[in-house]
Amino acid sequence: MSSTPITAAPPAAAAPPITAANPITAANPAARSGAAHAFPVPHPSLAPSSAIRDLLRLTERPGMLSLAGGLPDPALLPAERIAAAAQRALADSPSRSLQYAPTEGLAELRDVIAASEGVEPERVVVTTGSQQGLDLLARVGVRPGEVVAVEQPGYLGAIQAFRSNGARLLPIAGDRDGMRTDLLAEHLAAGIRPRLVSVVTDLSNPSGSTLSDARRDHLASLAERYGFLIVEDDPYGRLRWRGPTLARLRCRTEFAASLGTVSKVIAPGLRVGWIVAPLAWRDELVVAKQSVDLHTATLDQRIAADLLADEPFLDRHLSAVRACYRARSEALVAAARSVLGDRLEVDDPDGGMFVWARVRDVDDATPVLAAALDQGMAFVPGSVFRSDDAPDPRIRLCFTTVDEPGLWEAMRRLDRAVTVAVATDAAVVVSDQQNPGNSHESWDPATAPQAQANSQIAGFRRPPQPSAILELGPRPDRSTDTGSNSDLTRPQPQPAALANRPVTAPRNSASPPGTSPTRTTSVRGHLAALVPGFQHPDPFDRTHIPRSTASRAERAGPSHTARSHLTGYLRSAPTAPRIVNQTYGGV
């Protein structure tokens, strides 16, 4: 299937002036009639909430062995050394440590980072974590409708950052040697012109892959030939225990910006990251950050500068972290191969925080997740890391926060979950074959028995998702942007067609007579079903309806996403399981 050419959009009509005769409230019937104004509701985000954040709400249950969140081991966080750095910062200059700071960051921290990175301090912009760095690069580098190429599977936080800024995502498949730059070259030769290409170069999240030396050179040459900026994210490079350390992309070309962070090497709670940017981008990044948070917390910056400058401490600390993570990684791989055998294909990582594995005999790991949560074990299914929303049989296992006996027990629980999921899938296939005429008939879930809402493996099939580039139409012209923000990152079904789209039956639920349950690929549907008494809403996410044609109820009404219902239930239901009121980032 060929891609739709990306061309400039025709100029849009100018927005009418805001005058007394044409007030903003003119579109509000209540305002026209003189009645009380309806309470304003926010516009929904272009990117949904992190499925990992939602999942982690459910992993705090007692006895749960969670290999889901990419969190450092709390026992390895250097609390005493951080406390000493904080005390020193407050003792020698309390007013400076507690005062506003320059937007680009404190000079002392930028000098330390520049020395470590081998660049001029002027190129360093301090950020509130590297996630903010991704957002700032998207803000200044991408207009709504422009293309960003991303790894697939890729870092969920990057996918969110680019989608939230209106980018259209071009997924580029990867393997053990990182992003396949040959596939990127094919898209470029076909005329697609990304503004940014985003990669995690070393020990990537989720796959643990490292971009090979040859592919780094190839990507650098493509950037210079086609004029895009490489966004090089490297949070895990210093956690490598096997294999060579390769030269950064920004050392190979000027067409690259690199991101760094203290989150994985010191502590994520400090929220200190940085961008090493081309000088031509630096001022725009600083202006964008001014509108976001003025500057990164001053005390955090001074603490980070103290720790990063203390090379003997950092070497000892990272050696201990690598030794611990390596032992746990090897224990997890050994347990997976011993317990599950050839039912699970496991990659042996060279560092980082994750094991990437493939569950055989399933097309989608999401039902395995539902069964695993029943068994008291959690992971992140591979579909979460795809920008095309397709099913994926792979899973990400984080080994950093569970000890070796716990990792073995987690694999035993995963083994039972795989058995349940594969057996259930086989039963559904047989049922589909026995009822070929009725296996996918639409029906009204409101008429099904109440037991459907309490099913442990429930969910709704998502509408087919075409390519993130195909069928999206021309990119907008920012010079005529009226602020409607109607440029979307996903294909745009018309509201009427969307409203009439049939709902399919959830798996393992009570089905109408003469029909059999259909398979599900929705992570969010499974998560919703795991909360007792939770009523699953309309499964189709209406946030992708153009705002110019969607009603306020369609855009932000109480049923616009399953995710919002799950979040609301966890916050308000008196009978909900005790969930710690804390979530963790796009990790």
Side-chain angles (χ1 to χ4, degrees):
M1 183 165 52
S2 61
S3 59
T4 302
I6 300 173
T7 59
I18 299 174
T19 64
N22 179 34
I24 296 177
T25 56
N28 187 334
R32 290 198 302 268
S33 64
H37 289 269
F39 189 81
V41 296
H43 291 306
S45 171
L46 292 177
S49 171
S50 166
I52 299 177
R53 282 177 173 264
D54 294 343
L55 174 60
L56 287 171
R57 285 193 175 94
L58 301 175
T59 61
E60 299 287 348
R61 295 183 297 187
M64 179 70 69
L65 288 172
S66 177
L67 278 64
L71 315 178
D73 183 353
L76 294 174
L77 300 178
E80 293 183 1
R81 182 64 181 84
I82 291 173
Q87 185 176 15
R88 186 158 43 246
L90 291 171
D92 64 11
S93 182
S95 60
R96 182 163 172 262
S97 298
L98 302 176
Q99 187 56 273
Y100 285 113
T103 300
E104 61 271 23
L106 293 176
E108 62 190 89
L109 176 57
R110 292 168 55 234
D111 287 343
V112 171
I113 295 170
S116 174
E117 300 279 356
V119 298
E120 305 83 3
E122 292 75 19
R123 293 182 59 188
V124 177
V125 177
V126 177
T127 59
T128 305
S130 61
Q131 182 66 33
Q132 186 185 69
L134 288 167
D135 179 66
L136 294 178
L137 286 165
R139 285 171 181 257
V140 305
V142 183
R143 295 176 179 176
E146 290 185 323
V147 178
V148 174
V150 295
E151 292 178 278
Q152 182 152 280
Y155 173 49
L156 177 58
I159 294 172
Q160 283 186 301
F162 297 130
R163 275 185 170 159
S164 293
N165 284 282
R168 294 183 288 173
L169 302 185
L170 172 64
I172 306 295
D175 54 28
R176 286 289 293 168
D177 290 327
M179 177 184 283
R180 287 191 53 187
T181 54
D182 59 318
L183 299 180
L184 174 63
E186 291 178 5
H187 286 293
L188 294 168
I192 294 177
R193 293 293 179 266
R195 284 279 296 170
L196 306 176
V197 173
S198 177
V199 291
V200 178
T201 49
D202 290 270
L203 310 170
S204 72
N205 177 5
S207 68
S209 65
T210 293
L211 191 65
S212 69
D213 198 59
R215 289 185 182 178
R216 293 182 192 222
D217 285 340
H218 189 207
L219 182 57
S221 67
L222 291 174
E224 294 174 354
R225 178 177 178 182
Y226 291 100
F228 58 79
L229 185 77
I230 302 168
V231 177
E232 176 184 23
D233 195 5
D234 183 25
Y236 308 102
R238 302 188 76 170
L239 300 181
R240 176 179 297 279
W241 55 75
R242 182 171 48 239
T245 299
L246 303 178
R248 297 281 189 88
L249 283 163
R250 60 171 172 73
C251 298
R252 303 167 190 254
T253 177
E254 296 180 352
F255 288 67
S258 60
L259 299 171
T261 179
V262 304
S263 293
K264 303 303 188 291
V265 298
I266 298 178
L270 287 178
R271 306 312 305 141
V272 173
W274 56 87
I275 307 172
V276 177
L279 287 176
W281 285 61
R282 189 256 192 193
D283 289 347
E284 291 296 329
L285 290 168
V286 171
V287 171
K289 182 173 169 62
Q290 288 172 0
S291 68
V292 174
D293 65 356
L294 295 182
H295 64 87
T296 298
T298 311
L299 182 58
D300 286 3
Q301 290 190 64
R302 297 205 68 197
I303 294 171
D306 188 324
L307 272 63
L308 291 174
D310 188 350
E311 294 184 4
F313 152 75
L314 205 55
D315 289 343
R316 291 192 306 272
H317 171 66
L318 289 174
S319 293
V321 172
R322 285 191 292 264
C324 177
Y325 288 177
R326 180 173 189 169
R328 291 180 179 177
S329 167
E330 292 172 350
L332 177 58
V333 171
R337 290 172 176 166
S338 174
V339 174
L340 287 104
D342 60 2
R343 304 173 75 193
L344 191 72
E345 297 177 3
V346 183
D347 289 340
D348 198 352
D350 296 326
M353 302 171 68
F354 309 110
V355 164
W356 188 234
R358 178 180 177 273
V359 182
R360 291 187 174 180
D361 301 322
V362 300
D363 297 323
D364 183 16
T366 302
V368 182
L369 169 64
L373 289 169
D374 279 347
Q375 297 292 332
M377 179 267 178
F379 60 83
V380 183
S383 57
V384 167
F385 304 102
R386 299 182 66 98
S387 58
D388 61 4
D389 300 314
D392 198 302
R394 295 171 293 183
I395 63 176
R396 190 193 77 176
L397 304 168
C398 179
F399 48 77
T400 56
T401 58
V402 180
D403 61 17
E404 295 181 26
L407 292 170
W408 277 85
E409 175 60 25
M411 290 302 95
R412 287 188 283 268
R413 296 181 186 185
L414 178 60
D415 182 53
R416 294 194 292 269
V418 171
T419 299
V420 170
V422 171
T424 303
D425 186 74
V428 172
V429 170
V430 171
S431 180
D432 288 348
Q433 293 172 348
Q434 292 175 348
N435 302 277
N438 296 323
S439 62
H440 296 291
E441 289 183 1
S442 62
W443 64 297
D444 182 2
T447 64
Q450 178 63 29
Q452 164 194 324
N454 297 325
S455 169
Q456 289 298 301
I457 305 179
F460 292 91
R461 172 176 293 176
R462 297 189 61 165
Q465 296 291 327
S467 163
I469 291 301
L470 302 178
E471 304 178 30
L472 286 171
R475 53 153 283 190
D477 184 346
R478 194 176 190 183
S479 64
T480 58
D481 186 6
T482 62
S484 65
N485 205 19
S486 62
D487 304 300
L488 306 173
T489 61
R490 298 181 182 179
Q492 304 173 23
Q494 295 301 313
L498 182 65
N500 295 328
R501 184 173 282 148
V503 177
T504 54
R507 169 184 258 179
N508 280 11
S509 63
S511 301
T515 69
S516 62
T518 60
R519 300 187 187 121
T520 177
T521 60
S522 168
V523 176
R524 297 164 186 85
H526 285 310
L527 296 181
L530 293 172
V531 182
F534 174 78
Q535 298 292 331
H536 202 297
D538 179 348
F540 300 116
D541 183 351
R542 295 178 180 268
T543 61
H544 63 303
I545 301 174
R547 289 179 180 163
S548 59
T549 57
S551 68
R552 182 178 296 274
E554 286 176 317
R555 291 201 314 265
S559 65
H560 79 283
T561 59
R563 184 183 306 276
S564 65
H565 274 248
L566 177 60
T567 302
Y569 184 90
L570 291 175
R571 291 177 178 174
S572 62
T575 59
R578 180 181 180 275
I579 304 294
V580 175
N581 187 22
Q582 181 179 14
T583 57
Y584 306 105
V587 293

